[in-house]
Amino acid sequence: MGLFGNPIMCSECGEKTSLFSRRDFKDGASICGRCASLIPKWINPELVENWDFPTFSALKKYLEYSETVLRPMFHETHRYEKLILDFDNGLFCVADNLLNAIKKDTVFLELKNLAGYEFQFLPEELQSGILSEKVKGKTAFSFTTLNPPVAAEFILSYDAKAKAKTNLFKTKVSYEMPKEMTEFESAFVMSLYMHMPSNPEENVEEKSSELKKALALFMYDSLEGIGEEELKAQRNRLIKAFHTDNDQSLSDQYAVKINTAYDILKKEIGG
């Protein structure tokens, strides 16, 4: 409430809100501190396009679904820092604590509901050695989801390292992405590809859906500026990334999916 105005009541529980603990929404609604505690700390309201009370209601409903349906089925298959993936079920979560452990308030999210995501390496310092050079920096992950309709961004590591190369005068630096993050992103993308739903409202729905899946697997937003040589190089990188010495049959399954996606994209660019 204002300093001298009428009290502002919580749109969720109806109790009087406190000026210091309530959360305000873009549509003018407010919730009290107790109800606001239901919102996971990692959600950034500034990144949410419509941060209104209906969004909070949808989030609350999703949290119940996450706890009763997704938590029992979740099992960790891949991990990079606080980001944890369940490859088989197409789920991921972010461990928002010092030990990077799954806790009772962890929220599980479905890859099929992603509206967008980005893995980033933010280099900060070049480290020169006798035989090799490395660049040190931060790794970050951001995403938006359709259900729940939220967005978030995280620093995953403050001490990531990647191979680097410099020119003779050390005025230009080129670098690779950190190996651990690249391996995790490969598994993340493949799981996304496997669990991406078809959209029955698309025109030429089957073709459109398969093209979207192929683009997602190859980590492309579009084919603009992509030639056949680049496409072939990306296919080879993916096959190498998904190869495992422990399970040849699994590597073969991945290779089939990658080659199928490659054929779809190659045909699309007229190759």
Side-chain angles (χ1 to χ4, degrees), residues 30 50 76 128 142 211 217 224 264:
S30 299
N50 295 310
E76 178 182 331
S128 299
S142 60
L211 176 59
L217 178 57
E224 184 177 354
I264 292 171

Side-chain angles (χ1 to χ4, degrees), residues 125-135 164-174:
E125 176 188 352
L126 178 66
Q127 299 179 332
S128 299
I130 298 176
L131 299 176
S132 64
E133 293 177 311
K134 292 183 178 181
V135 64
K165 292 182 180 179
T166 60
N167 62 3
L168 181 62
F169 301 103
K170 296 187 182 297
T171 56
K172 292 185 179 180
V173 180
S174 61

Side-chain angles (χ1 to χ4, degrees), residues 4 11 46 49 55 67 84 86 88 93 113 133 137-138 152 162-163 165 183 197 207 230 235 267:
F4 305 104
S11 299
E46 295 182 3
E49 184 176 354
T55 296
E67 186 63 25
I84 306 172
D86 177 348
D88 301 316
C93 67
N113 289 326
E133 293 177 311
K138 301 174 184 177
K163 293 181 180 179
K165 292 182 180 179
E183 291 175 346
K207 178 182 177 182
E230 162 60 25
R235 178 194 63 176
K267 184 177 179 180

Side-chain angles (χ1 to χ4, degrees), residues 34-71:
R34 182 170 61 84
C35 292
S37 66
L38 296 174
I39 302 174
K41 295 178 182 178
W42 48 262
I43 292 177
N44 186 343
E46 295 182 3
L47 300 177
V48 182
E49 184 176 354
N50 295 310
W51 185 244
D52 52 18
F53 184 67
T55 296
F56 170 75
S57 298
L59 173 61
K60 183 181 176 184
K61 183 177 180 180
Y62 184 87
L63 292 177
E64 295 175 358
Y65 171 71
S66 169
E67 186 63 25
T68 59
V69 178
L70 301 184
R71 181 182 289 274

Side-chain angles (χ1 to χ4, degrees), residues 77-78 87 183 186-187 190 236-255 258:
T77 59
H78 300 77
F87 181 93
E183 291 175 346
S186 296
M190 178 60 83
N236 294 339
R237 285 192 288 266
L238 288 170
I239 288 178
K240 182 178 179 181
F242 285 107
H243 177 76
T244 171
D245 296 328
N246 299 326
D247 192 335
Q248 185 59 45
S249 63
L250 188 59
S251 295
D252 292 341
Q253 291 177 37
Y254 291 159
I258 292 167

Side-chain angles (χ1 to χ4, degrees), residues 179-223:
K179 180 181 178 182
E180 295 82 1
M181 187 176 74
T182 300
E183 291 175 346
F184 181 91
E185 184 179 6
S186 296
F188 188 92
V189 171
M190 178 60 83
S191 184
L192 172 62
Y193 171 79
M194 293 174 64
H195 293 90
M196 185 179 293
S198 299
N199 186 349
E201 297 181 0
E202 296 264 2
N203 292 326
V204 197
E205 59 189 56
E206 184 175 353
K207 178 182 177 182
S208 186
S209 174
E210 291 306 311
L211 176 59
K212 281 189 172 184
K213 288 183 178 181
L215 286 169
L217 178 57
F218 272 63
M219 306 182 200
Y220 293 149
D221 293 324
S222 72
L223 290 174

